Amino acid sequence: MLGNFEYKRIRSIEEGCQYLAEAAGDGAVLAGGTDLLVEIRNGLKSPQLLVDCKGLDVLNVFSVDDSRSTIGASVALNQLIEHRVFRTTHPALADALASIGTYQLRNRATLVGNICNASPAADAAPVLLVLDAVVEVAGVEGPRTVPVRSFFAGVKKTTLKPDEIVTAIALPARSGLRTAFRKQQRIRGHDLAVVNAAGAYSPAKKVLKLAIGSCAPTPVLLDPIEVDSKDNEAFADHVIETVLRAVSPISDVRASAGYRNAVLPILVKRILHELLFEGSGA
Amino acid sequence: MYDIRFTVNGQPEHATVPATMTLLDLLRDRLALTGTKEGCGIGECGACTVLLDGKPITSCLMLAVEADGHDIETIEGEAVGGGLSVLQQAFIDTGAIQCGFCTPGMIMSARGLLNRTPDPSDENIVEAIAGNLCRCTGYEAIIAAVRLAADRLAGAKQGRGQS
Ligand SMILES: Cc1cc2nc3c(=O)[nH]c(=O)nc-3n(C[C@H](O)[C@H](O)[C@H](O)COP(=O)(O)OP(=O)(O)OC[C@H]3O[C@@H](n4cnc5c(N)ncnc54)[C@H](O)[C@@H]3O)c2cc1C
Ligand code: FES
Ligand code: FES
């Protein structure tokens, strides 16, 4: 038995928002449950009400194309990873999702749950940040959208209101972007990232976006970096310096701050190689 | 309390469960299907793996109420008509079982893999069982068992095709 809560399988998003509003902060949306049920079991959370949206068809769909992609809140990670067009359209996001947990877990876990959980180590977060993803939200006062860069408020905290449900994540046009994801972890499938990072490079605009996870209370999106240097080595040093100034890693159960500071430049270099120095890349 | 209807190994079931009960507890404590094991209870060991609508999931991280309307398959469904399944026999033949605690979960993960990829590469097998911890065998014999089962199933299919 887990905790002490009621369970509602909702028939409309409005109904779900209403239940959450009535629970006044003591309610939680149940998606895959792979974070929520563990936290309830470990006593870290004790919601009185779980609102299950998985019965709603509107949240169980995704559409992918070059101009815009939308991923519904109930779509399981494996549905995306195993979708050929998704993988080729958003390779870095597919890599990040495929690196999450185990096969069994990815049959339940969702992309929306990954960011709503707001772990600093959430693997989807850096990629969504560099892709300028937008979070679509429903609440008792109606729908709104939140750029993912304004979504995280702290460790395990988002800017969602207690009555709000994320309905989908929208990804804007890819417009020739090259993207990459890198992750350092201790044990594949059984641990979170020690450091993760994503990059998106626009060859047309010569602008690089980088985002770093597990090195601050929230995933960090750096200001866009102009790529004008002819000297790869000097450019890499400049980027690494900028990255290290933007983060504030701590020592925790997974790694020391020193280790994170040492690994981060390596991941950033690998991303630069893939996106800029090797020429090709996805 | 919540009334739920679902199937387990093809049999229709009905149960009245509290919201806080996991699918794992429902299977073990209510339905006495104790083949499914609880190792960690937090999604890390895979001992509780069952198939939900044909796909492997960890039953410790799913509520019993969430099973309403779904099909569940457990290790008890492997041996049909009293005989061992091809997967079970392959685990015995390659020596892939020592203490046996991980075996039900391993076989369910392997079953899920063979459902979606009948001719898996070793890499596919490793990825499919990465969420199943085994403290005894060192995994090599388990990978060999899944390979052997896939080969035997393909052979049987071919045999049928020829005759
Ligand atoms: C063994 C194990 C390994 C893991 N490995 C990784 C890993 O490698 N990388 C990683 O990033 N994570 C990992 N995780 C964490 C977790 O699996 C992921 O974050 C997953 O994506 C969460 O999705 P979910 O659908 O299960 O979310 P849930 O657990 O259902 O929800 C998570 C949180 O988000 C809220 N929420 C969910 N959906 C909505 C919504 N639509 N609107 C508003 N709020 C919502 C919930 O109320 C809850 O607070 C791991 C977990 C386990 C148990
Ligand atoms: S008991 Fe479910 S994964 Fe360990
Ligand atoms: S055989 Fe003992 S844990 Fe796998």
Side-chain angles (χ1 to χ4, degrees), chain A residues 142-171:
Chain A
R144 66 181 181 115
T145 56
V146 187
V148 77
R149 74 182 110 77
S150 319
F151 187 73
F152 302 110
V155 178
K156 300 253 158 186
K157 287 199 185 75
T158 68
T159 53
L160 290 176
K161 297 186 200 110
D163 60 280
E164 286 183 324
I165 296 176
V166 173
T167 52
I169 293 183
L171 300 167

Side-chain angles (χ1 to χ4, degrees), chain A residues 39 83 85 103 110 165 168 177 182 200 202 216 240 269 279:
Chain A
E39 289 185 330
H83 193 268
V85 179
Y103 189 80
T110 63
I165 296 176
L177 278 186
R182 287 290 186 280
S202 161
I240 286 164
K269 254 189 201 158

Side-chain angles (χ1 to χ4, degrees), chain A residues 69-248:
Chain A
S69 302
T70 316
I71 298 147
S74 300
V75 175
L77 300 182
N78 275 342
Q79 285 177 264
L80 298 168
I81 298 163
E82 291 170 0
H83 193 268
R84 199 175 44 80
V85 179
F86 178 82
R87 264 202 327 268
T88 49
T89 312
H90 300 294
L93 187 52
D95 284 351
L97 302 185
S99 83
I100 293 177
T102 65
Y103 189 80
Q104 293 97 308
L105 186 110
R106 295 191 295 275
N107 274 334
R108 296 290 289 166
T110 63
L111 172 63
V112 167
N114 189 250
I115 65 154
C116 288
N117 189 52
S119 160
D123 284 313
V127 190
L128 294 179
L129 282 167
V130 296
L131 290 178
D132 279 329
V134 173
V135 185
E136 298 182 356
V137 179
V140 284
E141 279 158 25
R144 66 181 181 115
T145 56
V146 187
V148 77
R149 74 182 110 77
S150 319
F151 187 73
F152 302 110
V155 178
K156 300 253 158 186
K157 287 199 185 75
T158 68
T159 53
L160 290 176
K161 297 186 200 110
D163 60 280
E164 286 183 324
I165 296 176
V166 173
T167 52
I169 293 183
L171 300 167
R174 261 176 51 87
S175 49
L177 278 186
R178 289 183 195 153
T179 57
F181 172 77
R182 287 290 186 280
K183 170 177 180 179
Q184 179 75 9
Q185 69 189 137
R186 297 182 303 180
I187 318 160
R188 167 114 177 77
H190 302 274
D191 200 11
L192 299 177
V194 166
V195 177
N196 55 19
Y201 174 57
S202 161
K205 296 185 191 150
K206 297 223 171 300
V207 166
L208 172 72
K209 287 190 184 170
L210 281 175
I212 312 293
S214 273
C215 287
T218 66
V220 174
L221 174 66
L222 277 79
D223 290 334
I225 300 166
E226 266 182 57
V227 183
D228 55 3
S229 170
K230 298 268 176 302
D231 181 346
N232 287 349
E233 198 112 332
F235 180 67
D237 288 344
H238 159 69
V239 172
I240 286 164
E241 213 174 284
T242 314
V243 167
L244 290 175
R245 258 196 320 246
V247 298
S248 49

Side-chain angles (χ1 to χ4, degrees), chain A residues 1-7 9 30 32 34 37-38 41 50 52 54 102-104 106-108 188 190, chain B residues 2 19-20 22 25 38 41 44 49 52 55-57 61-62 65-66 68 109 116 127 130-133:
Chain A
M1 298 287 170
L2 296 167
N4 180 18
F5 50 79
E6 265 188 77
Y7 167 93
R9 183 190 276 199
L30 175 67
T34 63
L37 297 182
V38 172
R41 185 175 165 123
L50 300 194
D52 184 351
K54 291 191 290 293
T102 65
Y103 189 80
Q104 293 97 308
R106 295 191 295 275
N107 274 334
R108 296 290 289 166
R188 167 114 177 77
H190 302 274
Chain B
Y2 301 79
T20 53
T22 63
D25 290 340
E38 173 160 11
E44 290 182 358
T49 303
L52 171 73
K55 293 179 183 165
I57 59 122
L61 289 190
M62 179 168 155
V65 279
E66 293 181 276
D68 190 30
S109 280
R116 64 185 183 273
E127 183 62 22
N132 295 80
L133 297 184

Side-chain angles (χ1 to χ4, degrees), chain B residues 96-103 106 133-137 142:
Chain B
I97 306 169
Q98 289 187 28
C99 81
F101 193 81
C102 71
T103 312
M106 284 289 180
L133 297 184
C134 175
R135 298 290 81 162
C136 305
T137 65
I142 295 174

